[in-house]
Amino acid sequence: MDEPLVVARLRAAGCVFAEDEAGLLMATARTPEELDAMVERRAGGLPLEQVLGWAEFCGLRIAVDPGVFVPRRRTEFLVQQAVSLIRGDSIPPDPPGSPARPGIIVVALCCGSGAIAAALAAAVDRPEVHAVDIDPAAVRCARRNVPGHVYQGDLYQPLPARLAGRVEILAGNVPYVPTEEIGFLPPEARAHEPLVALDGGPDGLDVLRRVAAGAPDWLAPGGHLLIETSDRQAPLGAAAFAAGGLTARVETSAGLNATVLIGTLPGGGERASPGGPRHLTDCGR
Ligand SMILES: C[S@@+](CC[C@H](N)C(=O)[O-])C[C@H]1O[C@@H](n2cnc3c(N)ncnc32)[C@H](O)[C@@H]1O
């Protein structure tokens, strides 16, 4: 199948970026038969990234399996904010000749494919990375992407107890679509991403509230909790952070159409105050 035919089939199926998608599909398929099958699946409505088997995120190629939430470009803003905090925290470099010390502890909750965890692992110097998801398909996928420990279970439940009080970055793109708004999502999301990845309860904040309530048990003094949210939900989300004992602020990116709540556990001295460059463009790498 030549490129104009691929473009025509994609366009007929309603793909807005048919030329771009055709290029990606043709570059990824190893045989004409595979290309035909991929075009068929894409024309049938499967998200492009699930057809390709990967998504670009923070300059990395993240494996994405069918039925697993596709990492969104807007979530790169959360990674940028986390990297900025880590750099602002000015963890002292090792003196020359000293043995390698363990890096900072990073935990990604609701990790999905593991995109956030993988990006932080790539951007930070020798981090110890842990990631959790409740969905076995997401966990299998994340194990392909995350250079660290990936656990299956409910939020904090599967984390090793030794991490309590020691986590410096706790990050999550938790489900935050209000239940009644699921029906308004694009068909690609509704049909091919699991409900557990999308549904955040009546106001979309059920999982965020549980994460915020549990965070003080796991964060190190001065450690940070970062959760993606929407502008509309940010005030209620910030209240949940405060109820959990975290100082909360909201960062937004107009370019990425992204909003991130950042909470800090008091007690870290100068490390509790945010610093460092705020507008990294490349996820810090
Ligand atoms: C919006 S997706 C985000 C995935 C990933 N962080 C990303 O940005 O690509 C939310 C993820 O949360 C997981 N999840 C939902 N409820 C959970 C829970 N109680 N404990 C752990 N994971 C959960 C879902 O399985 C899904 O993979």
Side-chain angles (χ1 to χ4, degrees):
M1 200 177 357
D2 60 8
E3 188 159 354
L5 184 55
V6 175
V7 172
R9 281 176 66 182
L10 294 175
R11 189 165 292 132
C15 298
V16 179
F17 302 106
E19 282 85 1
D20 294 344
E21 294 197 8
L24 286 166
L25 291 170
M26 293 185 80
T28 303
R30 286 158 301 187
T31 63
E33 293 72 28
E34 193 175 20
L35 178 62
D36 189 53
M38 289 171 94
V39 173
E40 194 63 32
R41 288 203 299 278
R42 179 62 185 134
L46 207 65
L48 175 69
E49 294 82 355
Q50 291 180 359
V51 175
L52 293 170
W54 56 270
E56 193 187 325
F57 185 79
C58 285
L60 300 175
R61 192 174 272 212
I62 300 293
V64 179
D65 295 334
V68 173
F69 183 86
V70 175
R72 310 296 204 259
R73 294 307 285 265
R74 78 162 66 89
T75 304
E76 293 184 352
F77 183 60
L78 185 151
V79 174
Q80 292 165 10
Q81 292 296 314
V83 172
S84 173
L85 285 164
I86 293 165
R87 292 188 177 163
D89 279 349
S90 64
I91 292 165
D94 292 335
S98 61
R101 66 177 164 79
I104 67 159
I105 297 177
V106 171
V107 171
L109 293 180
C110 298
C111 69
S113 63
I116 293 171
L120 287 173
V124 176
D125 188 27
R126 287 176 289 142
E128 180 182 326
V129 178
H130 302 260
V132 179
D133 202 283
I134 202 163
D135 177 1
V139 169
R140 276 194 300 275
C141 186
R143 287 194 173 130
R144 298 165 61 196
N145 292 313
V146 178
H149 312 270
V150 182
Y151 315 92
Q152 186 193 340
D154 181 22
L155 301 184
Y156 301 99
Q157 167 264 320
L159 289 175
R162 69 173 179 84
L163 298 185
R166 296 179 56 214
V167 177
E168 280 156 292
I169 293 289
L170 182 56
N173 174 17
V174 309
Y176 63 88
V177 182
T179 305
E180 286 196 342
E181 294 175 22
I182 298 280
F184 303 125
L185 291 174
E188 277 186 12
R190 269 187 286 125
H192 300 288
E193 292 180 320
L195 194 59
V196 69
L198 306 170
D199 190 347
D203 64 357
L205 294 167
D206 280 6
V207 184
L208 180 147
R209 285 194 186 90
R210 291 180 57 216
V211 172
D217 292 339
W218 295 92
L219 286 174
H224 306 287
L225 169 65
L226 299 95
I227 300 187
E228 182 175 303
T229 186
S230 68
D231 281 350
R232 183 163 51 104
Q233 293 166 315
L236 279 178
F241 276 37
L246 307 175
T247 60
R249 65 190 171 91
V250 180
E251 293 285 345
T252 56
S253 161
L256 286 171
N257 188 25
T259 303
V260 173
L261 269 166
I262 302 177
T264 302
L265 187 67
E270 66 178 24
R271 292 187 43 209
S273 56
R278 286 283 178 82
H279 300 292
L280 302 178
T281 54
D282 62 353
C283 298
R285 293 184 313 121

